[in-house]
Amino acid sequence: MTITTKQKKICDNLFSLACDHNSTVRARIMAAVVYKNQIISYGFNSKKSHPFVIPFQKNDDAIYLHAETDAIKNALKRITVEQLAKCDLYVIRAKQLSSTNRRMKLGMSKPCKGCAKCISQFGLRNVIYGTDTGEYTML
């Protein structure tokens, strides 16, 4: 499915944020919830746990906030569950070209099973994410 110019711009901005994020985890993944063409919340991978992720864990060891669940959790501070169902979720990963080259490139950022469960429960409309081929795609 082809994404719009506006969607690409949001993805490009998230990629820049992911590149600049001083991550404590290996994957630099940023997510944003967009409502009526406005970013209302951001989320990023972290080594912090939160009770919000418990129902969405893919296993008992998956206790950390992923960018997707962090963005959704943060969005619920600003909008209702009904409004969240009218939102799009963007997920972008920046990864190093190689261990010797610190430049960043777009990486696969398709949500994991736990995040997909969270996305489904809250009924977000579209999920736009990056691929290893350097393109953006939509679920």
Side-chain angles (χ1 to χ4, degrees):
M1 188 176 247
T2 306
I3 66 170
T4 66
T5 303
K6 185 160 186 77
Q7 289 170 325
K8 184 180 181 328
K9 184 176 179 182
I10 292 170
C11 290
D12 290 343
N13 287 338
L14 279 177
F15 178 74
S16 293
L17 288 172
C19 288
D20 293 341
H21 182 63
N22 187 8
S23 182
T24 57
V25 293
R26 254 182 70 198
R28 292 180 184 206
I29 302 176
M30 298 291 299
V33 173
V34 177
Y35 180 64
K36 295 185 177 180
N37 294 316
Q38 295 292 323
I39 294 176
I40 59 159
S41 71
Y42 290 98
F44 57 92
N45 274 18
S46 70
K47 286 195 174 187
K48 292 183 179 181
S49 59
H50 193 281
F52 182 80
V53 300
I54 293 171
F56 312 114
Q57 292 175 197
K58 55 187 174 188
N59 60 54
D60 289 340
D61 295 326
I63 61 171
Y64 300 121
L65 275 172
H66 286 191
E68 300 93 325
T69 53
D70 191 30
I72 291 169
K73 173 185 69 71
N74 293 336
L76 289 169
K77 294 175 184 175
R78 299 190 62 204
I79 61 173
T80 66
V81 172
E82 292 78 21
Q83 290 170 314
L84 187 59
K86 298 174 184 172
C87 292
D88 294 331
L89 179 69
Y90 292 75
V91 188
I92 301 300
R93 176 182 178 198
K95 65 180 189 177
Q96 281 185 225
L97 287 172
S98 69
S99 59
T100 58
N101 188 339
R102 298 193 94 56
R103 287 187 42 230
M104 305 299 269
K105 71 175 186 172
L106 190 65
M108 176 58 76
S109 55
K110 185 175 182 179
C112 70
K113 287 182 182 180
C115 291
K117 183 178 176 184
C118 181
I119 293 163
S120 176
Q121 180 173 318
F122 288 103
L124 281 89
R125 290 186 317 182
N126 298 305
V127 178
I128 296 98
Y129 63 94
T131 68
D132 281 331
T133 61
E135 298 175 358
Y136 304 119
T137 191
M138 189 183 315
L139 286 178

